[in-house]
Amino acid sequence: MTRPVAALLALLILGGCGGAPKGAGDAGGQFGGLDAEILKWRAEIVKSGRLCQSPTEGQKCTGFEVACKAERTVTPADQAKGITARVVAAMDWNGWDPRLKQAQAGAEAAEFIKGGAGWTRAVHAPVNMSSCADL
């Protein structure tokens, strides 16, 4: 992938977030580094996602978009563990279903938790793709 294409892709991925936490793209601050973690998540989906495994060029995963990002409450118990931020994000994309032999939409939600060692990511139950509210 060329640099201009990669940069455009990153902007498209990160730009689709009307409800993004303030400062999510900043290098520092409460949400500093979150955008880089979302890009890592996307790369992992491309590498191992079921809909992204077709060897045929026209059947690769495309159209990645972060549909929503929403800050979650950091509880006193979280703070005692060193957690400083919680964010749920949802991403969707288009891929290829090898069993059905047709294009299919994919979507995932993840919770990002920031602590002393940086961000960690865990699978999250499906969310409303507009608001990231739990279903």
Side-chain angles (χ1 to χ4, degrees):
M1 182 180 304
T2 65
R3 268 184 213 243
V5 172
L8 178 60
L9 182 59
L11 289 173
L12 290 172
I13 288 170
L14 301 173
C17 308
K22 189 174 181 180
D26 298 343
Q30 182 179 8
F31 301 107
L34 178 59
D35 289 347
E37 291 301 315
I38 290 174
L39 288 174
K40 286 181 191 176
W41 178 33
R42 179 202 174 276
E44 288 179 21
I45 292 169
V46 169
K47 183 178 177 182
S48 61
R50 182 180 65 80
L51 299 177
C52 300
Q53 301 308 304
S54 176
T56 305
E57 187 57 39
Q59 299 170 351
K60 300 284 185 184
C61 284
T62 61
F64 282 88
E65 181 178 333
V66 175
C68 62
K69 288 190 271 188
E71 181 178 3
R72 296 296 166 96
T73 301
V74 176
T75 66
D78 288 336
Q79 291 173 345
K81 295 176 190 173
I83 294 172
T84 59
R86 287 181 173 272
V87 176
V88 171
M91 187 179 320
D92 59 12
W93 63 92
N94 297 311
W96 183 261
D97 189 320
R99 291 179 302 158
L100 300 175
K101 296 182 176 31
Q102 66 182 23
Q104 186 170 336
E108 259 184 48
E111 181 176 29
F112 294 87
I113 301 169
K114 187 175 185 181
W119 289 98
T120 59
R121 176 177 38 89
V123 174
H124 191 279
V127 297
N128 177 302
M129 296 296 277
S130 296
S131 67
C132 273
D134 291 337
L135 296 178

